[in-house]
Amino acid sequence: MTTAKTISRILHESSVYTAIHLLALALLLYISSIGIKEPLLALPFVLFFLYGVIVDQRMLQNAYFWLGASVLFAINIAVDWYTPANHHFLANYLCLVLFLAFLQPREEQEAFIANNFRWVTAILFFFVTFQKIMSPSYMDGSFFGYMIAHGGFLDLFQGIIPGFQELIDANAKNILNFSDINPRVQTAIDLVVADGSHFAFYSKGLAYLVIGGELLTFLSFLLFKEGKIRHILLIMTIFGVLFTRAEGGFLSLLCVLGFLQCTPDAKMFKPLYLALFMILCGLLVINYVYI
């Protein structure tokens, strides 16, 4: 099949069922990463997902397939409650939505999925915005100051912000070691500069910029079922997070959410979401971004 025909098929086929296949692939990568630490826990589910993604794709429209995936995430969160990132909970919620969706009559499933994924997107951006507004360390810029001091954040600006590279060299190793400590073990280390407060001039403005963008994204998905503006905001968010935090797992889920909600008036965004998704999967495989 030629590239033109492939793109045409993607543009005109249902966004919902293509997005389900993308979600299954993203979760397969995540479950495989669990398998590195918990092979006995993850192996049955890795084989299960491989069967659904490659051998018999009808499994992806089975309610109990997604219930099983949700159980895996719940177990993983319960076992290592201090390790999973917020988007691992998001993955669990998406699996639960699909479980409930495929219990509905077949003619209602697609609308059920699209409607609930829209609400998941709106609720997601509400809470990420609310969390930041309620966090004093975020609002005063010290969170971004810390992340800058950590290294691996805003790398493009290393040559612009005075003292950036020197601080990273002094702090990065100690901060990374500290972040790996099991919180059940009471211990501490000394950091040269812990909060990056002398970067407040730069980081406070960035904090307000991020909050503004996330608030607009929340409102766009809350108020509108269709339209291009919400996809423009979501794609801006994806690029912003990619170039600052490299959260590949979270961004791959955002691509799935965006792709699924490409109504006919916004179908031109589908190839972009798909391209971003495949790039992120490739970066996850080579461990260039984190899950």
Side-chain angles (χ1 to χ4, degrees):
M1 183 179 293
T2 66
T3 302
K5 288 183 178 180
T6 301
I7 293 175
S8 177
R9 182 171 59 83
I10 291 171
L11 287 173
H12 293 95
E13 282 189 352
S14 167
S15 299
V16 171
Y17 292 108
T18 303
I20 290 172
H21 285 76
L22 298 180
L23 177 62
L25 178 58
L27 297 185
L28 176 60
L29 290 175
Y30 172 67
I31 293 168
S32 298
S33 74
I34 295 176
I36 297 174
K37 297 184 296 182
E38 303 285 348
L40 294 180
L41 172 65
L43 181 59
F45 291 91
V46 169
L47 296 175
F48 194 40
F49 263 82
L50 282 173
Y51 185 81
V53 171
I54 298 174
V55 180
D56 186 359
Q57 297 184 359
R58 292 174 300 177
M59 290 288 292
L60 300 182
Q61 298 180 35
N62 184 304
Y64 297 101
F65 176 92
W66 294 105
L67 178 62
S70 179
V71 168
L72 170 66
F73 283 107
I75 293 173
N76 177 246
I77 291 169
V79 170
D80 292 326
W81 58 267
Y82 52 86
T83 300
N86 292 337
H87 55 278
H88 299 165
F89 292 85
L90 171 62
N92 194 8
Y93 299 147
L94 296 180
C95 291
L96 287 174
V97 168
L98 293 176
F99 164 64
L100 295 174
F102 290 119
L103 293 177
Q104 309 302 313
R106 186 169 184 83
E107 64 273 11
E108 299 177 10
Q109 291 174 2
E110 188 168 337
F112 184 96
I113 295 169
N115 185 54
N116 280 277
F117 271 38
R118 173 192 163 220
W119 284 111
V120 167
T121 308
I123 293 169
L124 165 68
F125 277 94
F126 169 78
F127 278 109
V128 298
T129 305
F130 181 75
Q131 179 189 33
K132 292 177 175 63
I133 292 174
M134 296 301 294
S135 171
S137 64
Y138 196 95
M139 297 301 293
D140 66 14
S142 60
F143 168 79
F144 274 115
Y146 167 82
M147 294 306 299
I148 292 171
H150 180 286
F153 185 79
L154 294 179
D155 288 346
L156 296 176
F157 299 92
Q158 287 188 17
I160 300 174
I161 302 177
F164 186 22
Q165 190 60 54
E166 290 79 3
L167 179 66
I168 290 176
D169 293 341
N171 257 353
K173 183 177 180 180
N174 282 341
I175 295 176
L176 285 172
N177 289 339
F178 185 69
S179 67
D180 287 337
I181 293 174
N182 186 328
R184 295 185 177 125
V185 179
Q186 295 186 4
T187 185
I189 60 173
D190 294 324
L191 301 177
V192 179
V193 179
D195 63 3
S197 58
H198 58 302
F199 288 140
F201 175 79
Y202 305 97
S203 55
K204 184 176 289 188
L206 181 59
Y208 282 103
L209 180 64
V210 170
I211 288 173
E214 291 177 346
L215 179 61
L216 288 174
T217 306
F218 157 64
L219 291 174
S220 69
F221 280 93
L222 176 69
L223 300 176
F224 305 109
K225 293 183 178 180
E226 299 180 351
K228 300 175 183 177
I229 186 63
R230 59 185 191 153
H231 292 286
I232 293 173
L233 290 168
L234 184 58
I235 289 170
M236 289 174 62
T237 298
I238 291 171
F239 276 106
V241 175
L242 178 61
F243 286 114
T244 56
R245 294 283 287 125
E247 296 187 18
F250 176 53
L251 297 181
S252 64
L253 295 182
L254 288 187
C255 288
V256 172
L257 287 169
F259 184 96
L260 186 143
Q261 296 173 82
C262 283
T263 49
D265 64 310
K267 64 182 181 180
M268 72 287 296
F269 293 103
K270 293 171 71 173
L272 179 55
Y273 282 122
L274 182 60
L276 285 170
F277 178 84
M278 299 309 295
I279 290 170
L280 287 165
C281 287
L283 294 176
L284 285 167
V285 169
I286 64 175
N287 202 32
Y288 192 80
V289 296
Y290 55 90
I291 195 73

